[in-house]
Amino acid sequence: MPALGSSDGIIIDRPRFATSACVEPVAEHLTRNADELICAENDHSPYWYRVLTGAARCCTHLNDGRRRVIDFLIPGDMFRVYALPVHRIRLEAVVTPTLVHRYRRLELEQIARFDRAVAREMREEAPRAIERLQAHTVMLGHSSAIERVAAFLLEFSRRSRPQPEDTLVLPMSRSDVADYLGIAVESVSRALTHLRRDGIIDLEGPKRVRIKSRPALEQLAVQVLDA
Amino acid sequence: MPALGSSDGIIIDRPRFATSACVEPVAEHLTRNADELICAENDHSPYWYRVLTGAARCCTHLNDGRRRVIDFLIPGDMFRVYALPVHRIRLEAVVTPTLVHRYRRLELEQIARFDRAVAREMREEAPRAIERLQAHTVMLGHSSAIERVAAFLLEFSRRSRPQPEDTLVLPMSRSDVADYLGIAVESVSRALTHLRRDGIIDLEGPKRVRIKSRPALEQLAVQVLDA
DNA sequence: CGTGGCATTGATGTAATTCAAAAGACGTGG
DNA sequence: CCACGTCTTTTGAATTACATCAATGCCACG
């Protein structure tokens, strides 16, 4: 399968098929354009999802029109709906096209009996989700907008596959980032400009960020100390 | 076992032994005073914890002295350390005394083979943690301090065992709440006074909150809309 | 070439943080 | 039981930072 490119020639992702050989037969292929719904169940869902190309956001919509982006999913990430009495979680595509595999839980468990790799992935899905959520929580605890944006860049860089020259491709819009960080779109923009003016990053188009000084970025996004 | 009371006669908790009969033999009893460490492993830990009485906070300490409270655990809640490459998570007691059971994972799994209740609890630990983290994330997304405090009161009331007269006992300090909500201590205090002045809550001592108008509180803590 | 969506930039009002101090709660020891 | 000291909570005033409103620039697309 060839690399997929967005309209401006940026190579966003190549599919990752960590467990493809075994789960392929039971995988339902979903292709979505940006902002289209991938999954909106609100009760315990029998499906598991895996983002293959593109990106997705896990979010809720508040009744005053605001939106909370709880998590971004990039190729390789898995997703499922947990029993959630409080919030209605949705999964939406962020870029066009976004390819997602959908598996039935029971079929996945069936395969996991024989395939240790699949079993391991199922076992690790929840811990990974928790890891992302905890990191996000720490990020949201950061008081200033610049700290949040800096932490976001580092976190996304860590999760993304390495790109040449410490360049980072943000598949989502500023508005997505804003709702993820809990600040206004303009604040995201200002923070990025601020970082650029300080020579910490370069902006090569709205979606490409080159990290010029990782140490400076890390200093802004106050990292965790060992106790 | 009798009810435990704090010094001012508030019944904070009675122990909950959902799985006591079977896990008791392998449970290590830990008793801690407020602010004392319960667990600070930073790599995949072989232990599972369950808060029995008192309360605990799951948090990280930043290298500028600030602290992020990621989660509060109250009696019945389980805790374990996930493989976390980024943040060092600690579990600390919030009140004196806090009683925690510690189990070895392997022993717990052994028991789970025969005891369906234990198996179910182990299966549900991660989903419950995710549920709490997602709710927390939505809460942190709320912009204003009053919204956050209102959402916190509702969330904590939902998780706590019902108290007479819609009264809520907050075992943790204002500073704990502040670090949990990502705002300053003074802002928490001001928000509570604001809610009291508006007749939405009553403050019977710093730790006792009586919810006088739950609808008003729910309106402040913008709830999630169905899509 | 014009239009619409997204990103950036600027000006202003508002809300939270910060610094500072007083009031209240709690524990200790007289 | 009361007095005292300490810590927590609350309140106040000044500053800072973010959200909001508004306008412009930019790029893609019709």
Side-chain angles (χ1 to χ4, degrees):
Chain A
M1 197 163 187
L4 298 180
S6 71
S7 54
D8 50 357
I10 297 170
I11 296 173
I12 292 192
D13 297 303
R14 284 184 212 93
R16 294 194 220 167
F17 292 103
T19 60
S20 68
C22 301
V23 297
E24 182 67 33
V26 301
E28 213 174 321
H29 295 237
L30 308 178
T31 307
R32 294 288 184 276
N33 293 329
D35 299 326
E36 283 179 357
L37 197 62
I38 298 170
C39 154
E41 288 107 319
N42 54 18
D43 44 9
H44 207 91
S45 159
Y47 292 108
W48 288 48
Y49 301 82
R50 175 191 284 278
V51 175
L52 294 170
T53 68
R57 61 177 172 251
C58 161
C59 60
T60 66
H61 293 262
L62 308 184
N63 51 20
D64 62 351
R66 285 182 298 178
R67 191 185 58 170
R68 301 278 152 244
V69 174
I70 294 171
D71 200 3
F72 287 117
L73 293 112
I74 58 180
D77 290 333
M78 296 200 73
F79 173 83
R80 64 175 164 134
V81 175
Y82 295 88
L84 285 164
V86 200
H87 301 294
R88 291 173 192 259
I89 306 288
R90 305 161 52 105
L91 189 64
E92 300 168 355
V94 157
V95 292
T96 304
T98 291
L99 174 61
V100 175
H101 273 186
R102 183 167 79 176
Y103 318 99
R104 290 190 176 278
R105 185 174 61 83
L106 293 178
E107 289 178 328
L108 222 51
E109 281 171 355
Q110 195 68 27
I111 293 171
R113 282 187 224 277
F114 307 102
D115 188 314
R116 300 194 64 78
V118 174
R120 188 167 150 281
E121 282 214 71
M122 287 189 75
R123 235 185 5 255
E124 288 187 355
E125 183 271 339
R128 280 190 197 286
I130 287 174
E131 184 190 320
R132 289 197 305 270
L133 283 166
Q134 287 183 341
H136 188 197
T137 299
V138 173
M139 191 183 300
L140 288 175
H142 289 177
S143 32
S144 83
I146 290 182
E147 272 183 308
R148 295 192 190 193
V149 171
F152 171 71
L153 292 178
L154 286 172
E155 171 69 7
F156 205 79
S157 148
R158 189 182 66 80
R159 285 178 56 195
S160 302
R161 55 177 48 205
Q163 300 260 339
E165 295 235 18
D166 220 351
T167 289
L168 190 58
V169 178
L170 302 177
M172 70 294 287
S173 70
R174 292 288 185 270
S175 143
D176 286 327
V177 176
D179 290 346
Y180 182 70
L181 298 179
I183 54 180
V185 189
E186 296 93 329
S187 297
V188 176
S189 196
R190 275 184 245 272
L192 287 171
T193 322
H194 192 281
L195 292 173
R196 184 174 55 74
R197 292 232 175 91
D198 288 1
I200 297 172
I201 61 169
D202 257 356
L203 295 171
E204 307 161 358
K207 302 252 185 277
R208 281 183 82 97
V209 180
R210 193 164 65 82
I211 298 177
K212 289 167 71 178
S213 168
R214 193 168 275 266
L217 211 54
E218 279 163 355
Q219 194 166 2
L220 282 174
V222 185
Q223 293 298 340
V224 172
L225 176 71
D226 119 77
Chain B
M1 195 159 187
L4 298 180
S6 72
S7 55
D8 51 356
I10 297 172
I11 295 173
I12 293 191
D13 298 304
R14 284 183 211 95
R16 295 195 221 168
F17 292 102
T19 61
S20 67
C22 301
V23 297
E24 182 67 33
V26 299
E28 212 175 321
H29 294 237
L30 308 178
T31 307
R32 294 287 185 276
N33 293 329
D35 299 325
E36 283 180 358
L37 197 62
I38 298 169
C39 153
E41 288 107 319
N42 54 18
D43 43 9
H44 206 95
S45 159
Y47 293 108
W48 288 48
Y49 301 82
R50 174 191 285 276
V51 176
L52 294 171
T53 67
R57 60 176 173 252
C58 162
C59 60
T60 66
H61 292 260
L62 308 184
N63 52 18
D64 62 350
R66 285 182 299 177
R67 191 184 58 171
R68 300 278 154 244
V69 175
I70 294 171
D71 201 2
F72 288 116
L73 294 114
I74 57 179
D77 290 333
M78 297 201 72
F79 173 84
R80 63 176 166 135
V81 174
Y82 295 88
L84 286 165
V86 201
H87 301 293
R88 290 172 193 259
I89 306 289
R90 307 160 51 104
L91 189 64
E92 300 168 354
V94 157
V95 291
T96 305
T98 291
L99 173 61
V100 175
H101 274 185
R102 182 166 79 176
Y103 317 99
R104 290 190 177 278
R105 186 174 60 84
L106 293 179
E107 291 179 328
L108 223 49
E109 281 170 354
Q110 195 68 28
I111 293 170
R113 281 187 224 279
F114 307 102
D115 188 316
R116 301 194 62 79
V118 174
R120 188 165 150 278
E121 283 212 70
M122 287 189 76
R123 235 186 5 254
E124 288 188 355
E125 183 272 340
R128 278 189 199 285
I130 287 173
E131 184 189 320
R132 289 198 305 270
L133 283 166
Q134 287 183 341
H136 190 196
T137 300
V138 173
M139 192 184 301
L140 288 174
H142 289 177
S143 32
S144 84
I146 291 182
E147 270 182 310
R148 295 192 191 195
V149 171
F152 171 71
L153 291 178
L154 286 172
E155 171 70 6
F156 204 80
S157 148
R158 189 181 65 79
R159 284 178 57 197
S160 302
R161 59 175 46 205
Q163 299 260 341
E165 294 235 19
D166 220 347
T167 289
L168 192 56
V169 177
L170 302 177
M172 70 293 286
S173 70
R174 293 286 186 271
S175 142
D176 287 326
V177 176
D179 290 346
Y180 181 71
L181 298 180
I183 54 180
V185 190
E186 296 94 326
S187 298
V188 176
S189 196
R190 274 183 243 274
L192 287 170
T193 342
H194 191 281
L195 291 173
R196 184 174 54 74
R197 292 232 175 89
D198 289 3
I200 296 172
I201 62 168
D202 257 355
L203 296 171
E204 308 161 357
K207 302 252 185 278
R208 280 184 83 98
V209 180
R210 194 165 64 82
I211 299 177
K212 288 168 70 179
S213 169
R214 193 169 274 267
L217 211 54
E218 279 164 355
Q219 193 166 3
L220 282 174
V222 185
Q223 293 299 339
V224 172
L225 176 72
D226 116 78

